Amino acid sequence: MSGAEAVKMGLSRDGGLLTPESIPQIDGAFLTELTQLSYQQRAAKVMGLFLTDYSGEELLTFAENAYGPDKFDHPAAAPLRKVDGTTHCLELWHGPTSAFKDMALQMLPQLLSAALRKTGEDKTVCILVATSGDTGKAAMEGFADVPQTKIMVFYPKDGVSAVQEAQMVTQEGDNVGVCAVAGNFDDAQAGVKRIFSDEAMRKTLADRGYFLSSANSINWGRILPQVVYYVSAYCDLLRDGEIQMGDKVNVCVPTGNFGNILAAYYAKRMGVPLGRLICASNCNDVLTEFLRTGVYNRNRPFHTTMSPSMDILVSSNLERLLFDLSGENDEEVRGYMDALAKEGRYEVSGAIKAKLKDLFWGGFCGEEDTAAAIARYYKDYGYLIDTHTAVAADVLAQYRRETGDETVTVFASTASPYKFCDHVLAAIGETPKGEGVDLLDQLHEVSGTAVPRRLAALRGKERRFDLTAEKAEMDGVVTAFLK
Ligand SMILES: *Cc1c(COP(=O)(O)O)cnc(C)c1O
């Protein structure tokens, strides 16, 4: 299958995830070359290694459109901020929706439009998205009014922040739809996966001139642009003299669906000298337990936390990791996924356990420690971080305490603190005055940092969507949307 076909399809027909046939290798010379380049140029070079059916020129144009000054409020797109001698924060929220999802979702629509052209597709693609808060908005922002596409977003009714909801229900564009689902993110994600594997539905939509694809991180086109920023971060550390070529760098990622940290894993597999991959969870600690014991068990209470984009018990992208770690053993991975679907639990082989232990370290942090990390970063470094980033900051501190490993570490900052004003204000000792977008100014006044332009513009924006559905009604919502 070509890169264009994989991007177009999103999810394979049997419900499995697509992965690259082979992982291209890079060396010191390649990294040295990238060190001199802009983020956009780095993106084109790295993505070109995988997408051999796209030209370098094409990819550079896409990267310039995706990460240019119209969209990103920082010229480096994904800048590193030095926190202390060995700690660097990779800020991934300078895009139009103020969360890291923009890094991929400003790129994916362009890859997909080109894929439709390259494959001579005449149907309209309908992107279905299940969102824990940030993906939905970022996907709509990327796909709004893109020809030959429609996009329908499902979000958990009581599972997103006030700013996240305001961002989604005010989205402009003639090809977008938004629906709240009575349930949590796992319910919304399971509903979307069910629609994907429903043959009758596929047929009905095909008769109407549509086919379905995905903008969730189950689409390989979502993961690839995320690989770029780990490569780029290594190059920035080299350029700034923080490390020498070949030095190991640890990465710590606040994790939900395992997409972002999987991108770091692929960067390591490509040959970027990354050390330990530290997987940070909130009190939905299913991944911590998995990485420590090899047992994945989703039979546990679901907690709603102040880091809602990580409130997930079924991390889809683990399937890709297991495929790679099992030596691409389809049958073994299918066995795990079937057990997960049937019993909500599986245990990986001893061989995989050993590899997990070598590559990853898992930790989690509760609500109080999340708030304490925000307060500590603000006080010690004058650095305001959001609730998700704070989970990573706390887990990184735990890792260092437990292992004594002081390797230079990049930790991912996945959202602007302005998306979660209420919790961030409370964490730094302020009493929130009001709610939702009303708090943007208060956080600005207290911290002196700038309100992201598009979040400020949410005030007074018209609410366009008011639909709520039960889980079982999601199919009907899609068929009505694609009349
Ligand atoms: C989506 C999201 C995450 C989790 O990323 P995954 O790729 O699902 O692991 C973490 N933080 C924020 C702010 C997010 O939007």
Side-chain angles (χ1 to χ4, degrees):
M1 184 183 303
S2 69
E5 281 167 318
V7 167
K8 205 172 105 176
M9 198 174 210
L11 191 68
S12 80
R13 287 290 154 86
D14 64 5
L17 304 195
L18 300 169
T19 56
E21 275 166 30
S22 65
I23 296 180
Q25 296 299 302
I26 60 181
D27 55 16
F30 183 87
L31 288 171
T32 304
E33 185 195 339
L34 291 194
T35 303
Q36 312 302 322
L37 303 182
S38 68
Y39 189 83
Q40 289 87 334
Q41 290 167 319
R42 290 173 184 173
K45 294 256 186 227
V46 173
M47 295 196 355
L49 297 173
F50 289 89
L51 298 175
T52 48
D53 50 341
Y54 290 71
S55 72
E57 215 173 291
E58 211 173 6
L59 292 172
L60 184 57
T61 306
F62 296 168
E64 280 166 353
N65 294 336
Y67 306 122
D70 296 352
K71 299 293 175 78
F72 276 68
D73 67 10
H74 195 293
L80 270 185
R81 171 168 167 150
K82 186 167 178 170
V83 175
D84 65 26
T86 53
T87 314
H88 303 260
C89 187
L90 177 58
E91 293 184 345
L92 299 173
W93 42 261
H94 288 281
T97 76
S98 304
F100 90 91
K101 306 298 197 293
D102 290 324
M103 300 305 299
L105 285 165
Q106 285 298 314
M107 180 58 79
L108 181 65
Q110 305 189 73
L111 294 175
L112 185 57
S113 286
L116 296 176
R117 266 198 318 277
K118 285 176 197 293
T119 58
E121 181 61 59
D122 51 15
K123 289 198 172 61
T124 293
V125 56
C126 178
I127 308 290
L128 293 187
V129 181
T131 183
S132 56
D134 289 326
T135 299
K137 175 63 184 180
M140 288 191 287
E141 194 65 35
F143 279 102
D145 294 326
V146 172
Q148 221 182 326
T149 72
K150 287 197 124 198
I151 172 162
M152 180 80 218
V153 170
F154 293 98
Y155 69 91
K157 189 166 185 324
D158 300 310
V160 301
S161 82
V163 171
Q164 288 175 321
E165 187 183 39
Q167 283 184 300
M168 287 191 278
V169 300
T170 58
Q171 175 66 43
E172 292 167 19
D174 290 334
N175 62 339
V176 307
V178 178
C179 178
V181 178
N184 60 36
F185 171 73
D186 290 323
D187 296 321
Q189 176 159 265
V192 164
K193 281 189 179 168
R194 193 183 60 230
I195 295 171
F196 266 108
S197 53
D198 181 341
E199 277 302 325
M201 177 79 144
R202 192 184 295 281
K203 172 94 189 23
T204 309
L205 298 184
D207 291 343
R208 297 182 190 178
Y210 294 103
F211 74 97
L212 297 176
S213 188
S214 167
N216 279 101
S217 52
I218 53 180
N219 189 324
W220 170 247
R222 265 288 297 280
I223 303 292
L224 179 54
Q226 298 180 180
V227 174
V228 174
Y229 50 72
Y230 292 108
V231 181
S232 179
Y234 194 87
C235 293
D236 281 352
L237 291 172
L238 276 176
R239 183 199 57 204
D240 299 344
E242 298 287 343
I243 56 168
Q244 302 296 314
M245 178 63 78
D247 287 353
K248 285 270 194 283
V249 171
N250 289 346
V251 172
C252 178
V253 185
T255 302
N257 224 353
F258 211 76
N260 199 359
I261 194 164
L262 182 77
Y265 170 76
Y266 282 126
K268 182 174 162 86
R269 282 277 274 113
M270 290 173 76
V272 180
L274 300 181
R276 195 53 65 79
L277 306 176
I278 302 161
C279 177
S281 300
N282 63 28
C283 52
N284 293 292
D285 61 347
V286 60
L287 285 168
T288 307
E289 183 177 287
F290 174 67
L291 293 172
R292 292 183 180 181
T293 65
V295 176
Y296 195 95
N297 186 359
R298 65 158 298 184
N299 304 311
R300 60 178 72 224
F302 181 97
H303 300 289
T304 302
T305 72
M306 68 172 94
S307 46
S309 299
M310 297 156 67
D311 291 345
I312 294 179
L313 293 180
V314 182
S315 298
S316 293
N317 278 295
L318 260 193
E319 182 181 331
R320 286 195 169 104
L321 179 71
L322 295 176
F323 182 67
D324 204 51
L325 297 184
S326 68
E328 311 206 337
N329 185 334
D330 272 336
E331 235 163 85
E332 182 179 345
V333 175
R334 191 164 304 139
Y336 299 143
M337 294 302 117
D338 286 348
L340 181 64
K342 287 201 194 85
E343 289 128 43
R345 179 186 187 281
Y346 61 88
E347 178 164 5
V348 294
S349 68
I352 292 187
K353 280 183 201 169
K355 288 185 190 168
L356 287 175
K357 208 166 170 174
D358 189 43
L359 289 159
F360 292 92
W361 193 87
F364 75 99
C365 114
E367 298 288 270
E368 269 178 37
D369 288 336
T370 307
I374 294 173
R376 183 163 58 85
Y377 266 67
Y378 190 59
K379 182 166 155 285
D380 291 356
Y381 309 113
Y383 190 16
L384 197 63
I385 56 176
D386 98 291
T387 49
H388 302 76
T389 308
V391 169
D394 183 82
V395 170
L396 173 58
Q398 291 180 36
Y399 170 78
R400 285 177 165 161
R401 270 198 308 273
E402 248 176 65
T403 63
D405 181 358
E406 285 296 329
T407 304
V408 170
T409 302
V410 167
F411 77 103
S413 177
T414 49
S416 157
Y418 282 92
K419 286 193 100 162
F420 307 95
C421 298
D422 44 357
H423 293 292
V424 171
L425 280 165
I428 61 173
E430 299 290 327
T431 306
K433 299 190 191 99
E435 53 184 39
V437 291
D438 304 335
L439 296 175
L440 295 169
D441 283 340
Q442 191 187 350
L443 189 55
H444 164 69
E445 276 156 29
V446 169
S447 71
T449 56
V451 184
R453 184 164 49 91
R454 298 194 192 219
L455 294 186
L458 281 175
R459 280 180 291 223
K461 239 183 154 183
E462 179 203 355
R463 195 179 163 104
R464 293 184 64 212
F465 302 97
D466 246 326
L467 191 60
T468 302
E470 296 297 325
K471 270 186 288 182
E473 296 167 345
M474 288 171 63
D475 315 48
V477 170
V478 173
T479 34
F481 179 60
L482 302 177
K483 271 198 300 283

Coordinates of all heavy atoms in Angstrom, one line a residue, residues 182-226:
A182 N -23.5 11.1 25.1 CA -23.7 10.8 26.6 C -22.8 9.6 26.9 O -23.1 8.5 26.6 CB -25.2 10.4 26.8
G183 N -21.6 9.9 27.5 CA -20.7 8.8 27.8 C -19.3 9.4 28.0 O -19.2 10.7 28.0
N184 N -18.3 8.6 28.1 CA -16.9 9.1 28.2 C -16.2 8.9 26.8 O -16.8 8.5 25.8 CB -16.2 8.5 29.3 CG -16.1 6.9 29.2 OD1 -15.9 6.4 28.1 ND2 -16.1 6.2 30.3
F185 N -14.9 9.3 26.8 CA -14.1 9.2 25.5 C -14.1 7.8 25.0 O -14.2 7.6 23.8 CB -12.7 9.7 25.7 CG -11.9 9.4 24.5 CD1 -12.1 10.2 23.3 CD2 -10.9 8.4 24.5 CE1 -11.3 9.9 22.2 CE2 -10.2 8.1 23.3 CZ -10.4 8.9 22.2
D186 N -13.9 6.8 25.9 CA -13.9 5.4 25.4 C -15.1 5.0 24.7 O -15.1 4.3 23.7 CB -13.6 4.4 26.5 CG -12.1 4.6 27.1 OD1 -11.2 4.8 26.3 OD2 -12.0 4.5 28.3
D187 N -16.3 5.5 25.2 CA -17.6 5.3 24.5 C -17.6 5.9 23.1 O -18.0 5.3 22.1 CB -18.7 5.8 25.3 CG -18.9 5.2 26.7 OD1 -18.7 3.9 26.8 OD2 -19.2 5.9 27.7
A188 N -17.2 7.1 23.0 CA -17.2 7.8 21.7 C -16.2 7.1 20.8 O -16.5 6.9 19.6 CB -16.7 9.3 21.9
Q189 N -15.0 6.7 21.3 CA -14.0 6.1 20.4 C -14.6 4.7 19.9 O -14.4 4.3 18.7 CB -12.7 5.9 21.1 CG -11.7 5.2 20.3 CD -10.2 5.4 20.7 OE1 -9.5 6.2 20.2 NE2 -9.8 4.7 21.7
A190 N -15.2 4.0 20.8 CA -15.7 2.6 20.5 C -16.8 2.8 19.4 O -17.0 2.0 18.5 CB -16.3 1.9 21.7
G191 N -17.7 3.9 19.6 CA -18.7 4.1 18.6 C -18.2 4.4 17.2 O -18.7 3.9 16.2
V192 N -17.1 5.2 17.2 CA -16.5 5.5 15.9 C -15.9 4.3 15.2 O -16.1 4.0 14.0 CB -15.5 6.7 16.0 CG1 -14.6 6.7 14.8 CG2 -16.2 8.0 16.2
K193 N -15.2 3.5 16.1 CA -14.6 2.3 15.5 C -15.7 1.3 15.0 O -15.5 0.6 14.0 CB -13.8 1.5 16.6 CG -12.4 2.2 16.8 CD -11.6 1.3 17.7 CE -10.2 1.8 17.9 NZ -9.5 1.1 19.0
R194 N -16.9 1.3 15.7 CA -18.0 0.4 15.3 C -18.5 0.8 13.9 O -18.7 0.0 13.0 CB -19.1 0.4 16.3 CG -20.1 -0.6 16.2 CD -21.2 -0.5 17.2 NE -21.9 0.8 17.1 CZ -22.1 1.7 18.1 NH1 -21.7 1.4 19.3 NH2 -22.7 2.8 17.9
I195 N -18.7 2.1 13.7 CA -19.2 2.6 12.5 C -18.2 2.3 11.3 O -18.6 1.9 10.3 CB -19.4 4.2 12.5 CG1 -20.5 4.5 13.6 CG2 -19.7 4.8 11.2 CD1 -20.7 5.9 13.9
F196 N -16.9 2.4 11.6 CA -15.9 2.1 10.6 C -16.0 0.6 10.1 O -15.8 0.3 9.0 CB -14.5 2.2 11.2 CG -13.9 3.6 10.9 CD1 -13.8 4.5 11.9 CD2 -13.5 3.9 9.6 CE1 -13.3 5.8 11.6 CE2 -13.0 5.2 9.3 CZ -12.9 6.1 10.3
S197 N -16.3 -0.3 11.1 CA -16.3 -1.7 10.7 C -17.7 -2.2 10.2 O -17.9 -3.4 10.0 CB -15.7 -2.6 11.8 OG -16.4 -2.3 13.0
D198 N -18.6 -1.3 10.1 CA -20.0 -1.7 9.7 C -20.2 -1.7 8.2 O -20.2 -0.6 7.6 CB -21.0 -0.6 10.4 CG -22.4 -0.9 10.1 OD1 -22.7 -1.7 9.1 OD2 -23.3 -0.4 10.9
E199 N -20.2 -2.9 7.7 CA -20.3 -3.0 6.2 C -21.5 -2.4 5.6 O -21.4 -1.8 4.5 CB -20.2 -4.5 5.8 CG -18.9 -5.2 5.8 CD -17.9 -4.5 4.8 OE1 -18.4 -4.0 3.7 OE2 -16.7 -4.4 5.1
A200 N -22.7 -2.5 6.2 CA -23.9 -2.0 5.7 C -23.8 -0.5 5.6 O -24.2 0.1 4.6 CB -25.1 -2.4 6.6
M201 N -23.2 0.1 6.7 CA -23.1 1.5 6.7 C -22.2 2.0 5.6 O -22.4 3.0 4.9 CB -22.4 1.9 8.0 CG -22.1 3.3 8.2 SD -23.7 4.2 8.6 CE -23.0 5.4 9.7
R202 N -21.1 1.3 5.4 CA -20.1 1.6 4.3 C -20.8 1.6 3.0 O -20.6 2.5 2.2 CB -19.0 0.5 4.3 CG -17.8 0.8 3.5 CD -16.8 -0.3 3.5 NE -16.3 -0.6 4.8 CZ -15.3 0.0 5.4 NH1 -14.7 1.0 4.7 NH2 -14.8 -0.3 6.6
K203 N -21.7 0.6 2.8 CA -22.4 0.5 1.5 C -23.4 1.7 1.3 O -23.4 2.3 0.3 CB -23.2 -0.8 1.5 CG -24.1 -1.1 0.4 CD -23.4 -1.9 -0.7 CE -24.2 -2.1 -2.0 NZ -25.2 -1.1 -2.2
T204 N -24.2 2.0 2.4 CA -25.1 3.1 2.3 C -24.4 4.4 1.9 O -24.8 5.2 1.1 CB -25.8 3.3 3.7 OG1 -26.3 2.1 4.1 CG2 -26.9 4.4 3.6
L205 N -23.3 4.6 2.6 CA -22.5 5.9 2.4 C -21.9 5.9 1.0 O -21.9 6.9 0.3 CB -21.5 6.1 3.5 CG -22.0 6.2 4.9 CD1 -20.9 6.5 5.9 CD2 -23.1 7.3 5.0
A206 N -21.4 4.7 0.5 CA -20.8 4.7 -0.8 C -21.9 5.0 -1.9 O -21.6 5.8 -2.8 CB -20.3 3.3 -1.1
D207 N -23.1 4.6 -1.7 CA -24.2 4.9 -2.6 C -24.5 6.4 -2.6 O -24.9 6.9 -3.6 CB -25.5 4.1 -2.2 CG -25.3 2.6 -2.5 OD1 -24.4 2.2 -3.2 OD2 -26.1 1.8 -1.9
R208 N -24.2 7.0 -1.5 CA -24.4 8.5 -1.5 C -23.2 9.3 -1.9 O -23.1 10.5 -1.8 CB -24.8 8.9 -0.1 CG -26.1 8.3 0.4 CD -26.4 8.8 1.8 NE -27.5 8.1 2.4 CZ -27.9 8.3 3.6 NH1 -27.4 9.3 4.4 NH2 -29.0 7.7 4.1
G209 N -22.1 8.5 -2.2 CA -20.9 9.2 -2.7 C -19.9 9.6 -1.7 O -19.1 10.4 -1.8
Y210 N -19.9 8.8 -0.5 CA -19.0 9.1 0.5 C -18.2 7.8 0.9 O -18.6 6.7 0.8 CB -19.7 9.5 1.8 CG -20.4 10.8 1.7 CD1 -21.8 10.9 1.5 CD2 -19.7 12.0 1.8 CE1 -22.4 12.1 1.4 CE2 -20.3 13.2 1.7 CZ -21.7 13.3 1.5 OH -22.3 14.5 1.4
F211 N -17.0 8.0 1.4 CA -16.3 7.0 2.2 C -15.7 7.6 3.5 O -15.6 8.8 3.6 CB -15.2 6.3 1.3 CG -13.9 7.1 1.1 CD1 -12.8 6.9 1.9 CD2 -13.9 8.0 0.1 CE1 -11.7 7.6 1.8 CE2 -12.7 8.8 -0.1 CZ -11.6 8.6 0.7
L212 N -15.5 6.7 4.4 CA -15.1 7.2 5.8 C -13.6 7.1 5.9 O -12.9 6.2 5.4 CB -15.7 6.3 6.8 CG -17.2 6.3 6.9 CD1 -17.7 5.3 8.0 CD2 -17.8 7.7 7.2
S213 N -13.0 8.1 6.6 CA -11.7 8.0 7.1 C -11.6 8.6 8.5 O -12.5 9.1 9.0 CB -10.7 8.7 6.1 OG -9.4 8.4 6.5
S214 N -10.3 8.6 9.0 CA -10.2 9.0 10.4 C -9.1 10.1 10.6 O -8.1 10.1 9.8 CB -9.8 7.8 11.2 OG -9.3 8.2 12.5
A215 N -9.3 11.0 11.5 CA -8.3 11.9 11.8 C -7.8 11.7 13.3 O -7.1 12.5 13.8 CB -8.8 13.4 11.7
N216 N -8.2 10.6 13.9 CA -7.7 10.2 15.2 C -6.3 9.6 15.0 O -5.9 9.3 13.8 CB -8.6 9.2 15.9 CG -9.8 9.9 16.5 OD1 -10.9 9.8 16.0 ND2 -9.5 10.4 17.7
S217 N -5.6 9.4 16.1 CA -4.2 8.9 15.9 C -4.2 7.5 15.5 O -3.1 6.9 15.3 CB -3.4 9.2 17.2 OG -4.1 8.6 18.3
I218 N -5.4 6.9 15.2 CA -5.4 5.6 14.5 C -5.0 5.8 13.1 O -4.6 4.8 12.4 CB -6.8 4.9 14.7 CG1 -7.9 5.8 14.2 CG2 -7.0 4.4 16.1 CD1 -9.3 5.1 14.3
N219 N -5.1 7.0 12.5 CA -4.6 7.3 11.2 C -3.1 7.5 11.2 O -2.6 8.4 11.9 CB -5.3 8.5 10.6 CG -5.0 8.7 9.1 OD1 -3.9 8.4 8.6 ND2 -6.0 9.1 8.4
W220 N -2.4 6.8 10.4 CA -0.9 6.9 10.3 C -0.5 8.3 10.0 O 0.6 8.8 10.5 CB -0.3 5.8 9.4 CG 1.1 6.1 9.1 CD1 1.7 6.4 7.9 CD2 2.2 5.9 10.0 NE1 3.1 6.6 8.1 CE2 3.4 6.3 9.3 CE3 2.3 5.6 11.4 CZ2 4.6 6.2 10.0 CZ3 3.5 5.6 12.0 CH2 4.7 5.9 11.3
G221 N -1.3 9.0 9.2 CA -1.0 10.4 8.8 C -1.0 11.3 10.0 O -0.6 12.5 9.9
R222 N -1.6 10.9 11.1 CA -1.5 11.7 12.4 C -0.2 11.4 13.1 O 0.3 12.3 13.7 CB -2.6 11.2 13.3 CG -3.9 12.0 13.3 CD -3.8 13.3 13.9 NE -3.5 13.4 15.3 CZ -4.3 13.1 16.3 NH1 -5.5 12.9 16.1 NH2 -3.9 13.2 17.6
I223 N 0.3 10.2 13.0 CA 1.5 9.9 13.8 C 2.8 10.5 13.2 O 3.6 11.1 13.8 CB 1.7 8.4 13.9 CG1 0.5 7.7 14.5 CG2 3.0 8.0 14.7 CD1 0.2 8.0 16.0
L224 N 2.8 10.4 11.8 CA 4.1 10.8 11.1 C 4.5 12.3 11.4 O 5.6 12.5 11.8 CB 3.9 10.6 9.6 CG 5.1 11.0 8.8 CD1 6.4 10.3 9.2 CD2 4.8 10.6 7.3
P225 N 3.5 13.3 11.3 CA 4.0 14.7 11.6 C 4.4 14.8 13.0 O 5.2 15.8 13.4 CB 2.7 15.5 11.3 CG 1.8 14.7 10.5 CD 2.1 13.2 10.8
Q226 N 4.0 13.9 13.9 CA 4.5 14.0 15.3 C 5.9 13.4 15.5 O 6.6 13.8 16.4 CB 3.5 13.2 16.2 CG 2.1 13.9 16.1 CD 1.0 13.2 17.0 OE1 -0.1 13.6 17.0 NE2 1.4 12.1 17.7

